[in-house]
Structures are given as structure tokens and as C-alpha cells.
């Protein structure tokens, strides 16, 4: 199960790094172009202009929030994968107990130790992504609001 947690962690952090890159490099360029496009319009006050503005802002919001749901899903799945590893490890401990009897504490302790490692790994993986995913969602909302503020409508 540790390999599954490692794979989930690699995918999660790859997506997090991509989002950080998008927020810091790609989005500012796209928003400048969109604001310039809005400011170059002659009509920014009509009903049709308001709908166009809303559509453009909505498209940018969609781009800002792209991938955040997948990151949050991976964050929530990591502890479950760890728990599954613990359960399978405990099944191994119970098999040892069934074969050697309940009196061999050394075999049980080693098995229990190995069984709890996946849970710890899953929790650490989830915690590492939990804080950054919340920050990414907050940043996406702030960037979307700033974009809307820079595209005034009368």
C-alpha cells in the first residue's frame, strides 16, 4: 500500500506544482490580455456587454479552479489507502497468531508495527496536501475576484 500512497503523493504534488505555476505565471498573462480585451471594447455598459463579461470571468474561474477537485480528492483518499494497508497488515498479524499461537509477542509486535506504517504514511501525505489545497482554493477565489474588479462595468 505504501507504493499506492507514494503514487498518489507524486500525482498530487505534480498537480499542486502545476497550479502554483499557473497562478504565478500563466494566469497573470491571461488576465492582462482579457482586461485589455475588455477595455478595448467600445460597449461595456449594455446588457450584452455584461453577459460577455460574465462569460469571460466564468471561463477564467473555471481555469483557476481546474484540477483543485482532483487534488482535494487525492488528499481525502490518502488516509483511506493507509487504512487499507493497516487492515491488510493486521490480517497478516492474525495469520501469524493463528499459526504460532497467541503467546509469541515478538512476531505480533513486528507485524503490528509494519501494519501501522501505512496509516501514518497516508496521514502525512494527506496533511501535506491539505494545507496547500486550501491555500490554492483561496488563491483561485482571490484571483477571480481581482479579475472581476479589474473589468468594471457601469
Amino acid at each position: 500500500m505504501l507504493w499506492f500512497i507514494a503514487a498518489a503523493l507524486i500525482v498530487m504534488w505534480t498537480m499542486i506544482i502545476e497550479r502554483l505555476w499557473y497562478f504565478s505565471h500563466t494566469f497573470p498573462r491571461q488576465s492582462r490580455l482579457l482586461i485589455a480585451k475588455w477595455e478595448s471594447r467600445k460597449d461595456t455598459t449594455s446588457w450584452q456587454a455584461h453577459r460577455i463579461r460574465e462569460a469571460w470571468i466564468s471561463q477564467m474561474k473555471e481555469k483557476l479552479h481546474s484540477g483543485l477537485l482532483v487534488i482535494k480528492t487525492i488528499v481525502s483518499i490518502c488516509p483511506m489507502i493507509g487504512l487499507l494497508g493497516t487492515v491488510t497488515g493486521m490480517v497478516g498479524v492474525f495469520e501469524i497468531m493463528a499459526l504460532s499461537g497467541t503467546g509469541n509477542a515478538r512476531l505480533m509486535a513486528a507485524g503490528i508495527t509494519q501494519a501501522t506504517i501505512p496509516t501514518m504514511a497516508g496521514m502525512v501525505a494527506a496533511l501535506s496536501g491539505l494545507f496547500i489545497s486550501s491555500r490554492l482554493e483561496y488563491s483561485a477565489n482571490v484571483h477571480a475576484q481581482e479579475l472581476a474588479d479589474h473589468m468594471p462595468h457601469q
Side-chain angles (χ1 to χ4, degrees), residues 29 31 41 46 51 69 72 93 103 108 146 153:
R29 190 172 348 117
S31 67
R41 289 182 52 89
S46 70
R51 299 297 81 79
L69 186 60
K72 285 182 153 189
V93 169
M108 288 186 336
E146 287 175 353
H153 57 88

Side-chain angles (χ1 to χ4, degrees), residues 30-89:
Q30 289 177 345
S31 67
R32 280 192 303 272
L33 291 173
L34 190 62
I35 291 167
K37 189 175 175 182
W38 175 255
E39 290 173 349
S40 69
R41 289 182 52 89
K42 292 180 182 181
D43 175 28
T44 60
T45 59
S46 70
W47 179 86
Q48 184 179 9
H50 285 258
R51 299 297 81 79
I52 291 170
R53 177 185 176 271
E54 287 176 7
W56 288 350
I57 292 172
S58 178
Q59 289 170 353
M60 291 304 285
K61 279 183 182 178
E62 188 175 324
K63 289 179 183 179
L64 282 167
H65 286 89
S66 174
L68 294 182
L69 186 60
V70 176
I71 292 169
K72 285 182 153 189
T73 302
I74 293 172
V75 165
S76 65
I77 286 175
C78 281
M80 299 304 147
I81 296 172
L83 187 60
L84 182 62
T86 297
V87 169
T88 56

Side-chain angles (χ1 to χ4, degrees), residues 98-113:
L99 293 175
S100 65
T102 59
N104 195 343
R106 282 188 190 185
L107 289 175
M108 288 186 336
I112 291 172
T113 300

